[in-house]
């Protein structure tokens, strides 16, 4: 099956072309520079950028894949969750394209696509190696632990009760005067910092449920900086705070993930979402999984942040498993949660 996938749920405009489990082209235009001036994503600006960039990005994807729109057999687009005006741009483009070509439209849940992205190796989906797993999705807006019992069969075990892990990185980075988005910057500075310099709280780490909370950690960093303003005058002291905060976030994520794997009895752990680019998280998850005998699949860093390739790969699996297409007149689903029915409406 040859399909195009469109992703515009937040601040990346992306189009991918997929055929038989292979990514023929994947083009991502990131708006990070535009939003960094404002310290976060501005929905109105994101929407205009999607409008400006979607057709050039799509044209580039078709050229790279050496196919024409008339060759397509299906159209996939992110239907939710995400910023409503941003979602509308990509989803309506997908609806118009599917309608004009007379091919099925597949509206995709963005988080469900993250969930299966660790199974993409290089340019190919490797679902023949699929194993039931516990999956950690960590992004700027979400932190979730999910039991993937089988392909397209998953149940949410826990999620954040307040700030997401990426949000915690971004907000503490802001307190330290670092540029947006703070996660990659903290990752970089933490490389030369001492993770044991400060003992920040590890919220909910010992609690039996699978939920996490990061707002207490952020508040404790705020109080620490209020009481030690001199930290902001020293590059090494900033690196030490970055490493210590990162270590607290990573400890919580790793321990909660491994505990969920033990509870569910799976043999495999996966992770995806922007924060999965974090080097300490990748290495600590690997260490913990090796120690407990779990197979670990981490999404490729290129596929951790938002992209249309993961949308298209999931859409193809859904079509192969005969899931119904999305009605051509469907609306976007900005609050579409994974705990809700994940079949099309
Ligand atoms: O998945 P994503 O691209 O967008 C959302 O759907 O939110 O995730 C973006 C988040 C941001 O909070 C960013 O700071 C964080 O991922 N991030 C990182 C790293 N790279 C991106 N956090 C920590 N370390 C990184 N290397
Ligand atoms: Zn995402």
């Amino acid at each position: 099956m040859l399909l195009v996938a469109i992703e515009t749920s937040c601040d990346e405009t992306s189009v991918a072309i997929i055929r038989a489990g292979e990514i023929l082209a994947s083009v991502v235009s990131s708006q990070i520079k535009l939003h960094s001036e404002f310290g976060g994503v501005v929905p109105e600006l994101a929407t205009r950028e999607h409008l400006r960039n979607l057709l050039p990005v799509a044209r580039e994807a078709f050229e790279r894949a050496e196919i024409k729109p008339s060759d397509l057999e299906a159209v996939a687009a992110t239907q939710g969750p995400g910023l409503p005006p941003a979602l509308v741009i990509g989803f309506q483009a997908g609806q118009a394209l599917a309608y004009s070509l007379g091919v099925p439209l597949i509206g995709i849940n963005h988080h469900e696509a993250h969930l299966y992205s660790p199974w993409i190796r290089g340019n190919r989906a490797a679902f023949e190696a699929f194993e039931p797993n516990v999956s950690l999705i960590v992004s700027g807006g979400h932190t979730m632990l999910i039991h993937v019992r089988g392909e397209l069969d998953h149940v949410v075990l826990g999620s954040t009760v307040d700030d997401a892990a990426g949000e915690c990185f971004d907000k503490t980075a802001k307190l330290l005067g670092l540029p947006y988005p703070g996660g990659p910057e903290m990752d970089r500075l933490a490389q030369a910092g001492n993770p044991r310099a400060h003992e920040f709280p590890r919220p909910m780490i010992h609690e039996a449920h699978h939920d996490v909370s990061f707002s207490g950690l952020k508040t404790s960093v705020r109080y620490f900086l209020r009481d030690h303003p001199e930290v902001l005058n020293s590059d090494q002291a900033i690196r030490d705070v970055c490493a210590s905060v990162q270590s607290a976030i990573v400890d919580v994520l790793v321990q909660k993930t491994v505990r969920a794997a033990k509870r569910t009895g799976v043999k495999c752990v996966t992770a995806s979402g922007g924060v999965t680019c974090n080097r300490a998280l990748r290495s600590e998850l690997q260490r913990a999984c090796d120690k407990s005998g779990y197979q670990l699949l981490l999404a490729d860093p290129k596929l951790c942040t938002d992209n249309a390739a993961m949308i298209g790969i999931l859409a193809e699996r859904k079509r192969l498993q005969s899931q119904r297409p999305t009605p051509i007149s469907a609306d976007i689903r900005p609050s579409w949660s994974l705990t809700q029915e994940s079949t099309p409406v």
Side-chain angles (χ1 to χ4, degrees):
M1 181 185 307
L2 180 67
L3 61 85
V4 65
I6 305 170
E7 154 66 39
T8 63
S9 66
C10 190
D11 59 345
E12 263 95 25
T13 315
S14 179
V15 175
I17 311 286
I18 309 294
R19 182 170 54 206
E22 188 182 352
I23 303 168
L24 299 184
S26 170
V27 182
V28 181
S29 165
S30 170
Q31 306 175 4
I32 283 182
K33 278 208 192 95
L34 175 76
H35 299 289
S36 61
E37 189 184 330
F38 304 95
V41 178
V42 183
E44 169 76 19
L45 287 182
T47 305
R48 289 202 198 158
E49 278 299 290
H50 286 312
L51 202 52
R52 212 188 324 262
N53 292 334
L54 185 55
L55 285 180
V57 165
R59 194 169 298 127
E60 193 176 330
F62 282 110
E63 277 170 15
R64 280 198 210 165
E66 298 181 354
I67 64 142
K68 304 184 293 300
S70 56
D71 299 330
L72 292 170
E73 293 163 277
V75 175
T78 305
Q79 193 177 358
L83 300 171
L87 281 169
V88 161
I89 303 292
F91 192 64
Q92 284 203 336
Q95 283 174 313
L97 186 58
Y99 178 75
S100 62
L101 294 173
V103 299
L105 169 72
I106 309 147
I108 290 291
N109 179 305
H110 178 92
H111 291 144
E112 192 178 0
H114 272 305
L115 199 57
Y116 294 96
S117 62
W119 300 96
I120 305 171
R121 316 309 299 166
N123 281 341
R124 289 203 69 85
F127 286 104
E128 62 284 356
F130 181 85
E131 273 280 332
N133 59 82
V134 157
S135 191
L136 172 70
I137 300 183
V138 265
S139 70
H142 293 85
T143 301
M144 282 187 275
L145 271 170
I146 295 162
H147 181 193
V148 189
R149 298 178 291 205
E151 233 197 286
L152 308 187
D153 172 18
H154 43 259
V155 49
V156 177
L157 299 171
S159 57
T160 178
V161 297
D162 41 52
D163 290 354
E167 215 172 343
C168 186
F169 270 113
D170 294 342
K171 287 179 176 171
T172 49
K174 199 169 178 181
L175 295 172
L176 289 165
L178 303 175
Y180 173 87
E185 194 63 10
M186 286 188 64
D187 182 350
R188 191 178 68 76
L189 293 172
Q191 294 285 306
N194 175 7
R196 278 176 287 279
H198 310 287
E199 186 66 27
F200 289 116
R202 270 91 171 133
M204 294 186 176
I205 196 164
H206 298 301
E207 291 180 25
H209 56 70
H210 300 291
D211 289 334
V212 294
S213 158
F214 289 110
S215 77
L217 170 58
K218 174 196 67 194
T219 307
S220 121
V221 177
R222 175 176 295 128
Y223 287 145
F224 173 79
L225 293 174
R226 181 197 64 189
D227 298 341
H228 302 88
E230 70 283 359
V231 162
L232 297 177
N233 300 324
S234 153
D235 288 348
Q236 188 53 42
I238 290 178
R239 290 187 201 111
D240 289 345
V241 174
C242 287
S244 302
V245 172
Q246 176 177 275
S247 161
I249 297 173
V250 167
D251 269 3
V252 172
L253 294 175
V254 170
Q255 287 206 32
K256 287 273 181 180
T257 305
V258 170
R259 188 183 307 148
K262 283 188 181 140
R263 291 257 180 88
T264 49
V266 297
K267 298 195 190 79
C268 175
V269 168
T270 72
S272 61
V275 180
T276 308
C277 291
N278 185 271
R279 285 168 284 184
L281 177 62
R282 295 178 86 85
S283 62
E284 288 304 311
L285 263 179
Q286 189 67 61
R287 209 150 63 130
C289 286
D290 287 349
K291 193 170 153 217
S292 303
Y294 296 116
Q295 178 195 6
L296 175 67
L297 285 181
L298 297 166
D300 185 302
K302 275 202 303 289
L303 296 173
C304 280
T305 45
D306 293 345
N307 65 88
M310 66 179 186
I311 304 294
I313 291 285
L314 175 61
E316 190 181 42
R317 296 311 287 179
K318 284 183 178 271
R319 289 300 291 158
L320 291 174
Q321 300 204 9
S322 307
Q323 286 204 2
R324 277 182 297 130
T326 305
I328 204 78
S329 58
D331 201 352
I332 53 163
R333 303 179 70 183
S335 309
W336 189 3
S337 116
L338 267 189
T339 43
Q340 279 172 253
E341 189 60 43
S342 74
T343 48
V345 291

